Amino acid sequence: MSKGKILIVDDEETLREGLQTYLEMEGYETDSAASSEDALKLDLKTYDLFLLDIMMSGMSGKELAAKLKANSDTSHAAIIFLTAKDSDDDMVSGLKIGADDYIAKPYSIKNVLARIEAVLRRTTMRTTTQGVTCDRNSLTCNVDGSTVIMPRKEFEILSLLVNNPGRIFTREEIMHRVWPEKVVIADRSVDVHITRIRNKIAPYGKCIISRSGYGYGWQD
């Protein structure tokens, strides 16, 4: 079983190939690219971590990192800079972009492996605790790992949307599922509940999308 999928982007062929060999020996699935431009031709959303050289001809590693963090398909992935630039200013600017670590060349393989393991461990923890989840067994809602208390009807609506991402439910469908008992409920009741839910799950309220004249859905 792979320990993670890594893309190495470095214009030094010897370093790139050597690092790839060691990572594969350690159980990582790896690919490599000789430039940022070549990297952008790949299916980047499949990678868990990017090892980026900063100083490359054409697009720099920092520019590539900024593109990765700006794209919702790759913003979750970890980034480690491998570079000969090791001043404090370089390190700070790299971390501000969103990099998770910064390793100066020349480096030892043992150090790189240890840093990769640490970064992937942090990233996995971050991924599993972020977002909105609804547990129907315990009837609890969690936002970024913290329990959010909400009334039963609000929980039922949120659970319906979260557990069916991409699907739009009409107001009539929502009312039928959440208020199965034969009571008279106005369409406006669904809208009011949605507004309350959005406020309670901030900043993920924007994930509840609306289709004018139709209903609501969930989109990450």
Side-chain angles (χ1 to χ4, degrees):
M1 181 177 178
S2 172
K3 294 169 65 175
K5 189 173 182 181
I6 299 173
L7 177 64
I8 305 163
V9 186
D10 197 314
D11 57 3
E12 295 185 58
E13 183 177 1
T14 301
L15 290 177
R16 189 174 67 248
E17 292 181 350
L19 188 54
Q20 185 171 3
T21 298
Y22 278 105
L23 288 175
E24 290 177 349
M25 289 173 59
E26 289 295 319
Y28 294 100
E29 182 181 354
T30 64
D31 292 315
S32 66
S35 67
S36 296
E37 290 79 4
D38 286 346
L40 289 172
K41 297 175 184 177
L42 303 174
D43 187 7
L44 299 180
K45 65 178 179 293
T46 65
Y47 295 97
D48 302 301
L49 184 145
F50 296 93
L51 293 176
L52 308 180
D53 183 27
I54 287 185
M55 298 298 291
M56 294 183 285
S57 58
M59 184 187 299
S60 71
K62 285 185 180 180
E63 291 174 295
L64 176 57
K67 286 182 176 292
L68 294 172
K69 288 301 180 182
N71 188 327
S72 59
D73 287 335
T74 54
S75 60
H76 67 283
I79 294 175
I80 296 179
F81 283 128
L82 299 175
T83 178
K85 295 170 68 67
D86 61 353
S87 73
D88 288 342
D89 288 342
D90 291 327
M91 185 178 297
V92 170
S93 63
L95 295 176
K96 281 185 176 180
I97 292 172
D100 295 87
D101 208 342
Y102 193 108
I103 304 174
K105 297 177 181 178
Y107 49 75
S108 71
I109 291 297
K110 183 179 292 186
N111 182 39
V112 173
L113 291 174
R115 304 281 272 274
I116 287 174
E117 288 184 8
V119 166
L120 285 177
R121 186 164 55 248
R122 292 200 307 269
T123 304
T124 300
M125 291 177 61
R126 187 170 64 214
T127 301
T128 56
T129 58
Q130 284 190 338
V132 178
T133 60
C134 292
D135 186 338
R136 297 195 62 82
N137 292 321
S138 61
L139 298 178
T140 57
C141 171
N142 286 280
V143 178
D144 288 345
S146 298
T147 300
V148 174
I149 304 300
M150 56 180 60
R152 179 66 176 265
K153 299 303 183 185
E154 291 179 12
F155 172 83
E156 291 289 348
I157 293 174
L158 180 59
S159 178
L160 177 65
L161 301 182
V162 168
N163 292 320
N164 294 277
R167 177 179 172 182
I168 302 297
F169 290 90
T170 66
R171 289 176 176 80
E172 290 74 18
E173 285 180 294
I174 294 173
M175 287 189 291
H176 178 72
R177 289 174 180 245
V178 177
W179 287 272
E181 61 274 14
K182 294 183 178 180
V183 296
V184 178
I185 301 295
D187 286 0
R188 180 62 179 163
S189 295
V190 174
D191 300 332
V192 171
H193 279 75
I194 290 291
T195 298
R196 292 172 179 167
I197 294 168
R198 281 174 168 156
N199 291 333
K200 291 180 179 180
I201 64 172
Y204 299 101
K206 63 181 181 296
C207 293
I208 298 179
I209 58 175
S210 60
R211 291 290 180 267
S212 181
Y214 193 77
Y216 297 95
W218 181 271
Q219 181 174 297
D220 291 318

